[in-house]
Amino acid sequence: MRRRWRWLLLIVVFGWVSGASAQDAERPGLRERIRERLEQRRAEPAEPLAHTLAHDGLQRQYLMYIPPGLDPRGPVPLVLAFHGGGGNAGLMADDARYGWVGKARREGFVVVFPNGFSRLPGGNFATWNAGACCGDARDRKVDDVGFARAVVADVRRRVAIDPARIFATGMSNGGMLSHRLACDAADLFRAVASVAGTDATLQCSPSRPISVLHIHARDDDHVLFGGGAGQGAFRDASKVTDFVSVPETIARWVKRDQCAPAVQRTFDAPGAHCEAHPGCRDGVSVQLCVTETGGHSWPGADTVRRGKAPASQALDATDVIWRFFRDSAR
């Protein structure tokens, strides 16, 4: 039915254009505007497609979005976006919550949404093994680093990906996995960014310096800014951990990347600021963005989970993260 309406719209528009007067047809920009509108409709983003691969004795899933019109010859950037603990790939692919599909379409990169480990057939209530956290993925010692590598390899068989522009980001438990990938897969990922998920690694020895961005709200009630698990975390405390604080997370990366201890303010607005540590080894960057409000959510999101405080609008995390990724590859 939707396709029929699109064809009817095209017929009406083309009929109107062909029947327009010569004076209207010669009006500056008229035909160009009509053509742009039609092209915009044809370029409406397709849905991310589901893929399955076998890894470490498990059937794992991921969603992949390739923007319409993307040059198949590439090479193009790749972003892996990991959902939060208790979520799934479909939630992370929801633009009202995270905005990655729209960002990939506008900027011209492939975005992939892996699904965490779940005991349920549909993959819901999934978690990631980020080291000290979280849930069944941690308890069963699921190889999520290996899974991330397998996803990248599978995508590269389908699309021409630039090996120098492969990035990872995530929310909460997915952000914690991004920190772990920086530790255990720095040979593959150029940069990582975490939102509301601090460093949960049990050990960390990156094979090379790697750029890291962390975004966190001061009033986060799940992963507390000053460390520890808040009341909003999993009801079963055994499924989480005593979370590392945001300052400690940044201090660890400053040490690993051999950055200068001083910070430079790079963004300042009501309700949010960002800062960077200069002089890191091999030109990498360690950055932190803090929002004053927003709780345990993705800054800039239009939609949050029911019962949660609205996301901070003081900055857009997806925009900030993409700029960070883009700049790290220069």
Side-chain angles (χ1 to χ4, degrees):
M1 181 65 72
R2 185 178 179 185
R3 182 175 298 175
R4 183 183 302 171
W5 279 109
R6 286 182 177 176
W7 279 111
L8 287 174
L9 176 63
L10 290 174
I11 291 171
V12 171
V13 172
F14 278 120
W16 175 73
V17 172
S18 61
S21 67
Q23 181 179 358
D24 288 339
E26 294 174 359
R27 188 183 305 163
L30 177 61
R31 289 183 174 178
E32 288 74 9
R33 289 198 300 272
I34 294 172
R35 184 173 63 251
E36 287 176 0
R37 290 173 185 171
L38 294 176
E39 289 177 351
Q40 287 174 357
R41 287 192 172 275
R42 287 195 294 267
E44 285 183 353
E47 295 294 324
L49 297 180
H51 298 274
T52 301
L53 61 83
H55 176 72
D56 199 30
L58 299 171
Q59 290 297 312
R60 304 294 300 268
Q61 294 81 35
Y62 68 89
L63 301 176
M64 178 167 63
Y65 176 76
I66 302 175
L70 190 70
D71 189 347
R73 297 168 297 179
V76 296
L78 170 64
V79 173
L80 269 61
F82 299 94
H83 61 77
N88 57 61
L91 286 175
M92 198 69 190
D94 182 352
D95 254 16
R97 298 174 184 270
Y98 301 101
W100 279 110
V101 169
K103 179 60 72 174
R105 174 169 52 88
R106 291 187 297 272
E107 300 291 342
F109 62 87
V110 175
V111 60
V112 167
F113 307 95
N115 208 94
F117 173 79
S118 172
R119 292 179 295 177
L120 302 178
N124 295 325
F125 301 104
T127 53
W128 302 104
N129 179 11
C133 194
C134 296
D136 291 341
R138 176 201 62 189
D139 297 343
R140 298 192 180 197
K141 295 181 171 55
V142 173
D143 180 19
D144 279 325
V145 173
F147 173 51
R149 289 183 179 276
V151 168
V152 172
D154 200 48
V155 171
R156 294 183 70 178
R157 283 191 286 269
R158 305 171 189 272
V159 188
I161 298 298
D162 185 347
R165 292 186 291 170
I166 300 175
F167 311 104
T169 186
M171 170 68 190
S172 190
N173 183 202
M176 297 174 193
L177 180 62
S178 297
H179 281 295
R180 184 172 185 184
L181 291 174
C183 292
D184 295 347
D187 59 302
L188 180 62
F189 293 94
R190 181 70 175 230
V192 305
S194 172
V195 176
T198 53
D199 184 358
T201 56
L202 301 176
Q203 58 183 7
C204 182
S205 299
S207 60
R208 66 169 182 84
I210 182 170
S211 292
V212 175
L213 166 65
H214 188 87
I215 302 175
H216 215 104
R218 288 195 184 277
D219 65 345
D220 192 319
D221 64 345
H222 288 57
V223 182
L224 301 182
F225 192 93
Q231 294 181 352
F234 280 120
R235 294 178 181 177
D236 184 353
S238 69
K239 295 298 183 181
V240 291
T241 188
D242 187 22
F243 297 120
V244 171
S245 71
V246 172
E248 173 61 19
T249 294
I250 296 300
R252 290 180 179 184
W253 282 112
V254 167
K255 182 178 180 180
R256 291 164 185 159
D257 283 337
Q258 301 177 29
C259 308
V263 296
Q264 296 176 345
R265 188 65 62 98
T266 59
F267 173 80
D268 211 336
H273 73 271
C274 298
E275 56 190 31
H277 287 264
C280 303
R281 184 181 170 190
D282 292 352
V284 302
S285 179
V286 174
Q287 299 186 23
L288 170 66
C289 290
V290 177
T291 61
E292 297 301 322
T293 62
H296 194 67
S297 62
W298 189 271
D302 295 327
T303 301
V304 298
R305 289 188 177 183
R306 184 178 300 175
K308 298 299 181 183
S312 171
Q313 300 300 315
L315 60 80
D316 186 307
T318 307
D319 286 345
V320 172
I321 291 170
W322 175 246
R323 285 197 299 269
F324 176 75
F325 286 164
R326 184 189 60 201
D327 293 346
S328 71
R330 289 177 176 173

